[in-house]
């Protein structure tokens, strides 16, 4: 199938019909023909596909502001903290979260994450079929986040639905706004309950409420914003990374057998999966006229950083369209770069590694059936909406 010519002027990062199956062919063509393309969708924005361009933009927050990271902007009460706050305040807000998501803290949640993975597999292993997107990749990070925030598990499916509407609903802005407001209301109820208790707990929301910024307590609005970004981004992007990795393993049996035969490869495989099909695409706002790598940007321009395209750039990676578990070095930017590099990267890596490890242990042989329809999710978090697989019942 050829690449539609209109994609170069009307590139729509939310168009699943075009980007679902052809994304990387399109990204390759854009890098070759117009690595800084202009789309007239959503009021107009530049589409950045080369690794060096994306890397340099991410390292210049003074010029390329994070004040709005979605295209089109998501209607909300205020900026998401800390991801839509620029330096120097960004660092102060980020410092509250960093210790909470350090490798040492994240390690405490690995046993419960592993248990959740086993429980999810228990629910479908005897069937011999499953939708690994909806039955595994999507709910796993939802349970982890519910644990981190001490959210009742019965609310998990509800906030998963909200996160999808906030991130991916484009056509119905009213629906997107309602989902965002509903999540805000839920978080405010959580804050009220925490503040009215005799002692705050050890969950993330309690820790936010005990934190200070410039010597003053964190406000309820700030805590709501923290909760928004961790619940939304932490859920959507991790679920996408898990789904993308499982899709690759379902369609590349030799590599799946390689991982099953040598589990020591898994850590490097996780990094390569993150590079090979990176979930995240993000926006930036140009704050001053600037020339970068030969291209002129004007104040007020919106740029769309296609990390998935950057991580397949042959100028940076040898054999970029091959998934090589032994790739060294692997200088991918799946978690971003610079001051806004993903604060939850340690948590996401842990969840992805555990998800793959447990599934390969329990169900080493799985594939997409001949009548199975894989549905791709595009937009700011590229993943899988449906990933039907078959396997020997019982694993």
């Amino acid at each position: 199938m050829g690449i539609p010519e209109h994609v170069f002027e009307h590139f729509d990062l939310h168009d699943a019909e075009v980007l679902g199956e052809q994304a990387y062919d399109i990204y390759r063509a854009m890098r070759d023909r117009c690595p800084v393309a202009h789309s007239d969708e959503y009021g107009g924005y530049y589409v950045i596909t080369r690794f060096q361009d994306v890397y340099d933009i991410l390292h210049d927050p003074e010029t390329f502001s994070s004040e709005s990271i979605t295209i089109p902007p998501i209607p909300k009460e205020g900026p998401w903290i800390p991801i839509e706050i620029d330096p120097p305040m960004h660092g102060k807000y980020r410092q509250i979260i960093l210790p909470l998501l350090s490798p040492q803290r994240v390690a405490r949640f690995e046993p419960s994450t592993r248990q959740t993975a086993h429980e999810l597999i228990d629910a479908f292993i005897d069937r011999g079929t499953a939708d690994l997107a909806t039955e595994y990749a999507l709910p796993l990070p939802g349970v982890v986040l519910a644990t981190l925030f001490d959210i009742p598990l019965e609310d998990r499916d509800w906030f998963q639905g909200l996160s999808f509407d906030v991130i991916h609903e484009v056509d119905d802005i009213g629906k997107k706004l309602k989902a965002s407001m509903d999540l805000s209301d839920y978080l405010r109820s959580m804050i009220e309950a925490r503040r009215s208790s005799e002692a705050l707990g050890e969950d993330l929301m309690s820790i936010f409420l005990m934190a200070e910024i410039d010597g003053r307590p964190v406000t309820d609005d700030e805590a709501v914003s923290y909760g928004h970004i961790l619940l939304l981004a932490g859920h959507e992007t991790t679920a996408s990374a898990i789904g993308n990795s499982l899709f690759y393993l379902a369609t590349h049996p030799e590599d799946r057998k390689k991982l099953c035969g040598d589990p020591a490869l898994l850590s490097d495989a996780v990094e390569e999966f993150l590079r090979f099909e990176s979930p995240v695409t993000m926006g930036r706002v140009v704050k001053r006229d600037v020339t970068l790598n030969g291209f002129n940007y004007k104040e007020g321009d919106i740029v769309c950083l296609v990390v998935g395209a950057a991580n397949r750039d042959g100028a940076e990676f040898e054999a970029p369209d091959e998934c090589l578990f032994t790739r060294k070095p692997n200088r991918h930017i799946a978690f971003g770069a610079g001051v806004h590099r993903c604060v939850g990267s340690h948590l996401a890596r842990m969840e992805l590694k555990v998800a793959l490890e447990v599934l390969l242990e329990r169900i080493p042989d799985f594939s997409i059936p001949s009548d199975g329809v894989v549905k791709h999710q595009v937009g700011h978090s590229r993943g899988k909406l449906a990933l039907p697989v078959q396997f020997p019942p019982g694993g």
Side-chain angles (χ1 to χ4, degrees):
M1 182 184 296
I3 297 172
E5 279 298 317
H6 76 269
V7 77
F8 295 97
E9 293 183 6
H10 306 283
F11 180 89
D12 183 351
L13 74 158
H14 299 285
D15 188 344
E17 184 174 344
V18 172
L19 290 178
E21 298 285 351
Q22 292 184 276
Y24 291 98
D25 292 334
I26 290 171
Y27 296 161
R28 188 184 310 111
M30 293 180 78
R31 280 196 311 270
D32 293 343
R33 292 171 51 179
C34 50
V36 181
H38 188 271
S39 172
D40 57 11
E41 296 292 319
Y42 310 115
Y45 61 97
Y46 288 99
V47 185
I48 318 298
T49 52
R50 287 187 302 206
F51 181 93
Q52 197 61 53
D53 291 336
V54 173
Y55 184 86
D56 290 344
I57 287 171
L58 289 173
H59 279 86
D60 187 2
E62 288 77 20
T63 303
F64 297 91
S65 170
S66 297
E67 67 184 31
S68 180
I69 62 166
T70 62
I71 301 170
I74 290 175
K76 50 188 179 291
E77 296 171 273
W80 283 335
I81 297 173
I83 198 170
E84 290 187 328
I85 300 291
D86 291 323
M89 283 303 297
H90 167 265
K92 298 177 181 181
Y93 282 117
R94 182 182 171 93
Q95 191 55 44
I96 293 176
I97 302 178
L98 274 176
L100 311 182
L101 297 172
S102 67
Q104 295 77 17
R105 286 235 180 197
V106 165
R108 295 167 51 188
F109 296 99
E110 183 171 334
S112 61
T113 303
R114 192 172 299 276
Q115 178 182 342
T116 297
H118 279 290
E119 290 173 353
L120 291 170
I121 293 171
D122 287 343
F124 58 72
I125 191 169
D126 291 333
R127 287 203 318 255
T129 62
D131 182 338
L132 291 182
T134 60
E135 295 184 86
Y136 192 64
L138 187 67
L140 180 63
V143 174
V144 174
L145 286 168
T147 303
L148 287 170
F149 275 86
D150 195 20
I151 292 173
L153 284 182
E154 58 266 25
D155 292 342
R156 183 190 69 203
D157 291 342
W158 177 77
F159 89 71
Q160 284 177 0
L162 290 185
S163 73
F164 182 87
D165 287 346
V166 173
I167 297 294
H168 296 287
E169 180 58 64
V170 176
D171 297 327
D172 189 341
I173 298 300
K175 185 177 181 181
K176 181 190 285 281
L177 179 59
K178 183 179 186 304
S180 181
M181 296 299 294
D182 285 349
L183 182 55
S184 291
D185 291 343
Y186 184 84
L187 290 168
R188 290 189 187 282
S189 296
M190 183 191 300
I191 290 168
E192 183 179 354
R194 299 293 192 276
R195 290 202 187 280
S196 64
S197 63
E198 293 185 4
L200 294 170
E202 295 185 358
D203 62 280
L204 287 187
M205 184 56 77
S206 292
I207 293 171
F208 291 156
L209 296 176
M210 291 185 284
E212 292 187 347
I213 293 287
D214 286 341
R216 61 161 178 82
V218 166
T219 67
D220 288 1
D221 287 345
E222 289 167 331
V224 167
S225 182
Y226 274 118
H228 254 281
I229 192 58
L230 286 178
L231 286 172
L232 293 174
H235 180 243
E236 281 288 323
T237 57
T238 305
S240 293
I242 295 171
N244 292 340
S245 304
L246 293 175
F247 173 73
Y248 180 85
L249 292 174
T251 54
H252 293 78
E254 291 305 314
D255 277 351
R256 189 178 66 249
K257 292 174 184 176
K258 193 181 298 183
L259 281 185
C260 290
D262 187 3
L265 282 175
L266 191 55
S267 292
D268 289 336
V270 162
E271 297 306 314
E272 182 65 343
F273 287 140
L274 289 167
R275 181 203 69 86
F276 187 72
E277 192 160 356
S278 305
V280 176
T281 295
M282 64 194 84
R284 291 292 188 268
V285 180
V286 181
K287 302 305 288 184
R288 63 181 177 88
D289 293 359
V290 67
T291 299
L292 178 67
N293 298 334
F295 189 84
N296 298 320
Y297 299 91
K298 299 294 184 182
E299 180 180 353
D301 285 344
I302 305 297
V303 298
C304 176
L305 307 178
V306 187
V307 175
N311 278 336
R312 295 273 196 108
D313 189 343
E316 178 64 28
F317 301 96
E318 186 176 350
D321 294 316
E322 295 182 37
C323 187
L324 304 175
F325 298 158
T326 55
R327 186 181 296 277
K328 297 257 181 165
N330 193 345
R331 189 171 166 249
H332 71 75
I333 51 173
F335 292 114
V339 297
H340 281 285
R341 187 179 183 280
C342 176
V343 73
S345 61
H346 299 301
L347 181 64
R349 278 192 173 98
M350 181 274 287
E351 292 175 87
L352 177 53
K353 184 178 179 182
V354 167
L356 298 179
E357 193 171 60
V358 173
L359 189 79
L360 290 172
E361 173 191 319
R362 300 283 302 277
I363 306 175
D365 181 15
F366 58 95
S367 61
I368 298 170
S370 58
D371 60 348
V373 178
V374 176
K375 294 182 180 179
H376 300 276
Q377 171 181 287
V378 298
H380 288 287
S381 179
R382 177 178 171 79
K384 302 293 176 280
L385 291 173
L387 180 53
V389 296
Q390 60 187 7
F391 49 85

